Amino acid sequence: MRDRRDDPAETDEQFRTGLRAFLTRHHPGRGPKGRGDRVAWQKTWLATLYDAGYAGPSWPREFGGMELSFARQVIYQEEYAKARVPGPLGTGLGIAAPTIIKYGTAEQKQRFLGPMLRGDLVWAQGYSEPGAGSDLPALRTSARREGGGPDDPAAEYVVNGQKVWNSSADIADIIFTLVRTGPPGSRQDGISYLLIDAHASGVSVRPLRDLTGDAIFCEIFFSDVRVPVVNRIGTENDGWPLVRTSLGHERAAGAMNQAALYRRVLDELIELAHERGATADPLVRDRLADFETRVQIMRLTGMRTITDIMTKGEPGPASSTSRLFIVTFEQDLHEFAVDMLGAHGILGRGDPHAVQRGRWVWGFLRTRASTIGAGTAEIQRNTIAEQVLGLPRDPAMPDMRRSR
């Protein structure tokens, strides 16, 4: 693997030019449609990035990342979005990795981080349950220890329970999971953070079809699944601080990437509006101007998030501001797009008359769930109110700040 660390003799524009040339030269082309073929295609691309030293712009170099400066992380995300190359597989890079880097042992970091970044292992999150979504401390999936004490390397946990709304669980190799190791009712004082082999005996994954017709989400069932104690991150019953790290990074993950992505998407929407003659309407121009302003704010917020992570090691509760802003923006943008298309706004991807192969209709349907994933919009607003603005806590909601 080549080392692409910051070169003080190289200017930011030289770095941008070099990155752009690499992405152009090694572009993997349009991906196949089949699920299995597409996963293999993405894995090949992620390995290409890693082996060339162009993976993990914010990751420490010791784990295979680039450890770029703030300015070059921004450049990286901008050029990556413009290049239209595949993103990461699963949800490990932005959520599990920061948790392992902060709380994992040296052996766990060595074993898991490199293969995760290279795409050799796909990770999926196992947090939410049918009765524990927004109220995550109410989770009931149990992990009973057998064969020794909490740190006995020969000991195992026997896991039973169900998780739901798990992105990419159908292609996952590892599921980073929250389990109940304390007594019933212990809430956040009895939660542990386990890494479970998705191919282990007793793990069952079932796809959940959504409004788009796709099955991005899954539900997971654990039936007497045996997990080595060495696959626990942190100490037993003290997983709640790890949860907060994961959730903070989940809400901040890709903030700059999302800003760069929606910069391109908005440009394409403006071009479509021109093609259809919609910009003759002053109300349409007003909405497009509003979206332009919000994309600029998204970019500045993403830059602030990167700064917070680099200086504090954590995105902090302000990551909820970024998350809430992005999800409401993408819903508004796609609602506007289908309205602008008029009758064509009801034609999906399978219709030969659909505009741009139905991408805007698909986006409209997909983003209906945006204000639910990674913590509902209501949870984000509570976090902002209590932990950013300092307003009194809502006694009806779980206290996300508590830890052991």
Side-chain angles (χ1 to χ4, degrees), residues 316-397:
S319 62
S320 288
T321 306
S322 175
R323 175 68 185 169
L324 182 62
F325 190 88
I326 290 172
V327 298
T328 54
F329 170 85
E330 62 184 8
Q331 284 187 345
D332 291 347
L333 180 126
H334 285 95
E335 286 177 9
F336 168 80
V338 296
D339 285 346
M340 184 184 70
L341 291 176
H344 285 90
I346 61 173
L347 302 180
R349 289 186 294 179
D351 194 293
H353 303 291
V355 174
Q356 296 182 351
R357 298 189 296 274
R359 63 173 287 196
W360 301 105
V361 180
W362 184 88
F364 170 81
L365 295 173
R366 182 190 62 80
T367 56
R368 294 305 87 198
S370 294
T371 46
I372 299 174
T376 66
E378 290 77 13
I379 288 290
Q380 313 294 359
R381 291 187 177 99
N382 273 332
T383 300
I384 294 167
E386 297 166 14
Q387 300 184 43
V388 179
L389 301 178
L391 299 177
R393 190 176 75 82
D394 181 353
M397 298 301 295

Side-chain angles (χ1 to χ4, degrees), residues 170 231 234 353:
D170 60 321
N231 278 18
H353 303 291

Side-chain angles (χ1 to χ4, degrees), residues 291-330:
F291 290 138
E292 175 66 32
T293 301
R294 290 161 74 178
V295 164
Q296 295 288 347
I297 292 172
M298 195 184 302
R299 180 176 185 272
L300 294 172
T301 303
M303 293 169 68
R304 182 179 65 185
T305 300
I306 291 176
T307 302
D308 286 344
I309 293 174
M310 292 182 70
T311 57
K312 304 173 186 176
E314 295 281 353
S319 62
S320 288
T321 306
S322 175
R323 175 68 185 169
L324 182 62
F325 190 88
I326 290 172
V327 298
T328 54
F329 170 85
E330 62 184 8

